[in-house]
């Protein structure tokens, strides 16, 4: 990667065209929307609520299915930067077969969505159990040669157990965090705002949780950690890197700040490095630890 910023999964990652636009904004790598075996419509609206401090969403894992996604990957590859294929499944076999397809499509890594906070039978339901996670990772690692990332949920007291099980099973990196399970109620309608009732909270509201998770993961693991959650400027990106992240992902920040967020974060970090006498970004990774 030419810089440590990546587009996070879930936003602007459904089509080749939207992925290309994120590359233009300066991202160093692009993570696709999570793709499953068959096309899914997702939930009916409302699926997204904008809050003062982030977003609350329950899209319902809408995606065109792995077959149709070949075309989007072909288009996205014109960006000339690494594409990470995010996938979700309900079994280790399904994850492995999706990973194989993403590798065939030219993905330079796969990211396993083990952390969607509200989809029945997917995501967090599997991602809070260390044994289930280890089993999925073993199957995927046996199926592909590209690096495998596990995107984990903060909605558990077992994050470190899950991450260690993932590491022992051979995962190449941990991505932390996915959204926090959350809810909003419309007091006039006297009902939940989201059609799915529960959703995932993202944006600056979750940054303190994300930074804490990355800090703890850095202390517990040997493999790299990629930080995500509420990053929208160079300071918040550096917070994650100083906690121990080797790279950062930006999702909600694209919606809140604009597609230029990647380039802006990178120039801010470069200026900080010049002012403080750092020549290599890796010198800053984990510096907040004693
Ligand atoms: C969805 C998936 C996620 O992984 C998440 O954190 C939030 C929402 C979804 O598609 O609904």
């Amino acid at each position: 990667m030419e810089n440590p910023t990546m587009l996070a999964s879930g936003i602007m990652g459904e089509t080749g065209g939207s992925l290309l636009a994120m590359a233009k904004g300066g991202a160093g790598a692009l993570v696709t929307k999570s793709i499953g075996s068959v096309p899914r419509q997702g939930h009916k609206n409302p699926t997204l609520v904008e809050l003062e401090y982030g977003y609350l969403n329950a899209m319902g894992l809408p995606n065109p299915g792995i077959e149709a996604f070949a075309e989007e990957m072909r288009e996205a590859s014109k960006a000339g930067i690494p594409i990470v294929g995010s996938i979700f499944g309900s079994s280790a076999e399904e994850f492995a077969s999706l990973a194989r397809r993403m590798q065939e499509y030219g993905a330079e890594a796969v990211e396993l969505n083990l952390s969607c906070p509200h989809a029945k039978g997917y995501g967090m339901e599997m991602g809070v159990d260390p044994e289930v996670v280890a089993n999925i990772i073993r199957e995927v690692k046996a199926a592909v040669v590209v690096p495998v990332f596990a995107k984990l949920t903060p909605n558990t007291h077992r994050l470190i157990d899950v991450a260690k099980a993932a590491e022992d099973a051979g995962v190449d990196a941990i991505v932390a965090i996915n959204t926090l399970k959350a809810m909003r109620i419309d007091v006039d309608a006297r009902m939940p705002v989201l059609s799915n009732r529960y959703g995932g909270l993202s944006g600056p509201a979750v940054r303190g949780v994300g930074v804490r998770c990355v800090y703890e993961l850095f202390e517990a693991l040997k493999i790299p950690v990629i930080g995500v959650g509420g990053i929208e400027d160079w300071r918040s990106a550096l917070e994650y890197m100083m906690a121990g992240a080797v790279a950062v992902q930006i999702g909600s920040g694209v919606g809140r700040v604009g597609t230029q967020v990647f380039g802006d974060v990178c120039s801010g970090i470069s200026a900080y490095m010049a002012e403080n006498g750092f020549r290599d970004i890796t010198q800053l990774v984990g510096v907040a630890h004693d």
Side-chain angles (χ1 to χ4, degrees):
M1 281 163 61
E2 276 183 28
N3 72 66
T5 68
M6 311 168 71
L7 172 70
S9 182
I11 181 164
M12 302 305 280
E14 296 92 64
T15 70
S18 63
L19 286 159
L20 286 175
M22 300 305 108
K24 278 216 181 85
L30 305 167
V31 189
T32 69
K33 171 76 180 161
S34 296
I35 304 297
S37 304
V38 293
R40 262 171 84 103
Q41 279 275 296
H43 299 310
K44 57 182 192 334
N45 284 325
T47 50
L48 176 74
V49 195
E50 190 167 358
L51 308 167
E52 313 88 272
Y53 39 78
Y55 298 110
L56 175 62
N57 88 86
M59 311 307 292
L61 296 165
N63 77 96
I66 194 71
E67 200 69 47
F69 204 64
E71 202 178 314
E72 310 304 336
M73 289 292 284
R74 207 172 308 122
E75 181 69 15
S77 71
K78 293 178 185 160
I81 59 173
I83 314 286
V84 178
S86 172
I87 53 178
F88 71 92
S90 59
S91 68
E93 295 70 33
E94 192 176 10
F95 269 104
S97 113
L98 289 163
R100 218 177 281 118
R101 296 296 293 274
M102 280 293 191
Q103 177 176 272
E104 277 169 32
Y105 296 166
E108 302 220 20
V110 291
E111 182 179 282
L112 313 181
N113 182 344
L114 297 165
S115 43
C116 175
H118 53 72
K120 260 244 82 26
Y122 295 107
M124 180 178 115
E125 285 192 9
M126 321 175 81
V128 294
D129 185 327
E131 269 177 45
V132 171
V133 166
N135 188 39
I136 292 169
I137 285 160
R138 278 192 294 266
E139 289 271 340
V140 174
K141 282 297 289 178
V144 297
V145 295
V146 294
V148 177
F149 305 163
K151 186 166 180 181
L152 301 184
T153 179
N155 301 301
T156 170
H157 61 282
R158 304 195 69 189
L159 172 65
I160 300 302
D161 295 340
V162 171
K164 279 192 163 159
E167 181 176 66
D168 291 344
V171 86
D172 297 283
I174 298 292
V175 181
I177 57 175
N178 204 320
T179 53
L180 273 70
K181 188 172 182 179
M183 177 174 219
R184 173 164 264 211
I185 293 185
D186 182 326
V187 296
D188 299 308
R190 294 186 282 280
M191 60 189 279
V193 176
L194 293 173
S195 76
N196 187 57
R197 296 181 291 168
Y198 308 106
L201 181 65
S202 62
V206 309
R207 190 189 305 144
V209 177
V211 171
R212 182 270 298 172
C213 289
V214 168
Y215 192 94
E216 288 183 346
L217 288 164
F218 181 82
E219 303 233 314
L221 303 177
K222 294 179 204 76
I223 53 173
V225 181
I226 298 169
V228 49
I231 296 167
E232 52 186 30
D233 53 23
W234 64 269
R235 277 187 177 276
S236 43
L238 274 184
E239 239 193 291
Y240 271 93
M241 297 192 81
M242 291 180 181
V246 295
V248 294
Q249 297 184 348
I250 303 176
S252 299
V254 173
R256 289 169 51 87
V257 177
T259 59
Q260 74 289 356
V261 66
F262 302 99
D264 290 353
V265 164
C266 293
S267 43
I269 292 178
S270 295
Y272 177 92
M273 287 172 62
E275 257 166 52
N276 293 279
F278 291 98
R279 250 182 268 117
D280 185 340
I281 186 79
T282 59
Q283 289 176 278
L284 289 166
V285 173
V287 288
H289 295 258
D290 337 300

